[in-house]
């Protein structure tokens, strides 16, 4: 049976599986997988996602184990099992999973990401940020004993270290200290291989949060294939970095502060006072700094001058986090984690 890598092979796959459909379309924006939206004869839509043995964007050059789809299925099933329903954040429901072809069919969570919706005047960014922080804190608290297959997703850990391992290249380009970048990878990047506190989403950022077309405050978190056993601070740090970029460059709507406040408040209600946990804040700061110190050089957010300023700030954040300079972190980017 042909694996769906374009609309032609998708229609052949759907026909062979006797799956009802009327129209198909490619879902843009994905890099590693082939993703489609299909509409059935009753007008209902769903998402078809196929994981091949390499990243979809690379034409076979960037190899990835196709078992990543197994981790996505495992993660979605676990989140559906453990997470409470009172927070308006969810994951897709699984309609069908074809293990042999690595094809996952899921409910359609919408067309607009939080990153895209951030710029709309009517998007309630503060409420969304708070809900996502609350939800993430619950995820970390409720999955401390969650088993994620046999190795906790070794490939997911490798991919999450990508920015750390390539940080020195950006450091050299911007004259920011290659040896320090190597130190950060050695000291903190290596921890990603052994962290084992809870289930981490692995790629938690506004581009993986979809808004319901009828209710912007109803959110769905997608793309779970690099979920792993890890340290929750890395999920927080990644989202915080992307929230900071949106706030700085797309309108200053308070996504970073509301997200961190939602996380801190909820984790505190679980008996873990975030503001007193120096090691947690340290890891958030370093991971956030690595993200800001690497990805803006790869993905265009701003002009050259602004990009360099953000990357320099990322290095400052790494250094302040590594030094456990809580006063600087409290007075600058992570204020919300210290509020009583």
């Amino acid at each position: 049976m042909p694996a769906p890598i374009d609309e032609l092979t998708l229609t052949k796959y759907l026909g062979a599986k006797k799956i009802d459909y009327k129209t198909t379309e490619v879902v843009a924006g994905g890099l590693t997988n082939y993703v489609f939206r299909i509409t059935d004869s009753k007008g209902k839509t769903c998402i078809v996602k196929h994981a091949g043995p390499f990243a979809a964007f690379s034409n076979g050059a960037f190899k990835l184990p196709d078992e990543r789809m197994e981790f996505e299925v495992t993660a979605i099933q676990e989140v559906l099992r453990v997470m409470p329903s009172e927070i308006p954040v969810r994951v897709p429901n699984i309609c069908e999973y074809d293990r042999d072809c690595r094809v996952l069919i899921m409910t359609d969570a919408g067309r607009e990401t939080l990153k895209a919706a951030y710029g709309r005047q009517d998007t309630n960014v503060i409420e969304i940020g708070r809900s996502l922080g609350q939800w993430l804190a619950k995820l970390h608290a409720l999955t401390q004993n969650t088993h994620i297959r046999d190795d906790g997703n070794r490939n997911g850990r490798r991919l999450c270290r990508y920015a750390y391992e390539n940080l020195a290249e950006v450091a050299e380009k911007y004259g920011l200290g290659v040896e320090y970048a190597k130190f950060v990878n050695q000291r903190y990047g290596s921890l990603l291989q052994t962290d084992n506190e809870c289930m981490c989403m692995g790629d938690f950022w506004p581009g993986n949060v979809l808004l319901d077309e009828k209710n912007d405050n109803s959110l769905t978190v997608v793309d779970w294939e690099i979920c792993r056993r890890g340290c929750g601070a890395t999920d927080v740090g990644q989202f915080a970095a992307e929230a900071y970029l949106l706030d700085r460059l797309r309108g200053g709507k308070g996504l970073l502060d509301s997200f961190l406040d939602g996380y801190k408040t909820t984790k505190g209600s679980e008996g873990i006072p975030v503001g007193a946990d120096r090691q947690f804040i340290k890891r958030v700061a370093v991971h956030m700094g690595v993200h800001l110190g690497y990805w803006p050089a790869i993905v265009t957010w701003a002009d050259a001058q602004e990009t360099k300023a953000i990357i320099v700030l990322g290095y400052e954040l790494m250094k302040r986090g590594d030094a456990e300079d809580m006063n600087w972190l409290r007075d600058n980017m992570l204020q919300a984690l210290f509020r009583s």
Side-chain angles (χ1 to χ4, degrees):
M1 184 181 301
I5 60 173
D6 53 32
E7 288 191 85
L8 177 60
T9 50
L10 173 65
T11 57
K12 291 181 178 179
Y13 177 85
L14 296 174
K17 297 286 288 185
K18 295 182 170 54
I19 295 173
D20 174 35
Y21 76 95
K22 186 176 182 181
T23 62
T24 67
E25 63 179 285
V26 175
V27 176
L31 293 176
T32 58
N33 302 297
Y34 303 94
V35 185
F36 310 91
R37 177 177 284 106
I38 64 172
T39 304
D40 67 17
S41 57
K42 297 180 181 179
K44 182 180 178 181
T45 61
C46 62
I47 299 298
V48 179
K49 183 175 182 180
H50 166 58
F54 49 81
F57 77 91
S58 71
N59 293 319
F62 191 86
K63 292 184 178 180
L64 286 173
D66 60 8
E67 68 173 358
R68 62 189 184 275
M69 193 63 77
E70 297 286 331
F71 288 98
E72 176 149 19
V73 171
T74 297
I76 290 174
Q77 291 172 335
E78 183 63 14
V79 173
L80 289 170
R81 186 183 73 82
V82 305
M83 290 296 285
S85 60
E86 66 266 19
I87 300 174
V89 183
R90 61 184 187 275
V91 294
N93 287 309
I94 296 173
C95 302
E96 183 177 336
Y97 178 50
D98 180 349
R99 178 172 281 107
D100 293 334
C101 292
R102 305 295 196 199
V103 175
L104 174 61
I105 303 178
M106 303 171 284
T107 52
D108 187 356
R111 295 174 178 267
E112 189 175 36
T113 68
L114 174 55
K115 182 179 180 180
Y118 183 97
R120 281 200 286 110
Q121 188 174 0
D122 60 343
T123 302
N124 192 341
V125 169
I126 290 178
E127 186 60 34
I128 288 172
R130 185 174 293 113
S131 293
L132 288 170
Q134 292 170 344
W135 178 86
L136 187 65
K138 285 285 187 183
L139 176 72
H140 293 160
L142 294 174
T143 59
Q144 293 179 19
N145 297 316
T146 294
H147 177 73
I148 303 179
R149 302 179 65 82
D150 290 339
D151 65 356
N153 200 349
R154 182 174 58 247
N155 184 62
R157 288 171 172 161
R158 178 179 66 85
L159 291 174
C160 287
R161 192 177 179 178
Y162 185 86
Y164 287 82
E165 291 182 323
N166 293 279
L167 193 61
E169 294 180 14
V170 174
E172 184 175 17
K173 178 180 178 180
Y174 288 93
L176 295 173
V178 171
E179 291 307 312
Y180 184 75
K182 292 179 179 178
F183 159 77
V184 169
N185 179 41
Q186 182 180 15
R187 173 69 181 86
Y188 296 99
S190 62
L191 294 177
L192 298 175
Q193 312 305 309
T194 57
D195 287 330
N196 195 30
E197 298 175 6
C198 61
M199 185 170 86
C200 292
M201 191 273 171
D203 195 15
F204 193 60
W205 71 294
N208 279 340
V209 177
L210 296 174
L211 279 62
D212 188 282
E213 294 176 3
K214 297 179 181 178
N215 178 7
D216 279 356
N217 291 330
S218 180
L219 311 166
T220 303
V221 180
V222 298
D223 284 352
W224 287 81
E225 65 202 58
I226 59 174
C227 76
R228 68 191 195 284
R229 291 288 304 177
C231 171
T234 59
D235 274 344
V236 176
Q238 179 177 357
F239 192 93
E242 291 284 328
Y244 173 80
L245 290 170
L246 285 170
D247 284 342
R248 176 166 175 157
L249 302 170
R250 302 290 188 268
K253 295 185 174 183
L255 180 60
L256 172 61
D257 199 69
S258 60
F259 166 71
L260 292 178
D261 182 70
Y263 189 92
K264 175 198 69 74
T265 302
T266 303
K267 195 167 183 182
S269 71
E270 300 290 332
I272 308 171
V274 169
D277 189 343
R278 295 173 68 92
Q279 290 303 307
F280 178 84
I281 294 175
K282 176 179 182 176
R283 288 293 299 277
V284 170
V286 170
H287 199 80
M288 182 180 180
V290 169
H291 197 93
L292 292 175
Y294 178 75
W295 286 110
I298 308 303
V299 179
T300 302
W301 274 89
D303 61 27
Q305 183 177 1
E306 185 75 353
T307 295
K308 183 174 181 179
I310 291 168
I311 290 169
V312 169
L313 179 62
Y315 277 78
E316 181 74 8
L317 189 54
M318 286 179 240
K319 291 176 180 178
R320 298 287 185 170
D322 177 53
E324 298 186 28
D325 188 345
M326 296 295 145
N327 289 331
W328 188 91
L329 296 172
R330 182 186 294 112
D331 294 339
N332 289 276
M333 304 171 76
L334 301 181
Q335 301 100 318
L337 292 181
F338 292 91
R339 293 193 194 113
S340 58

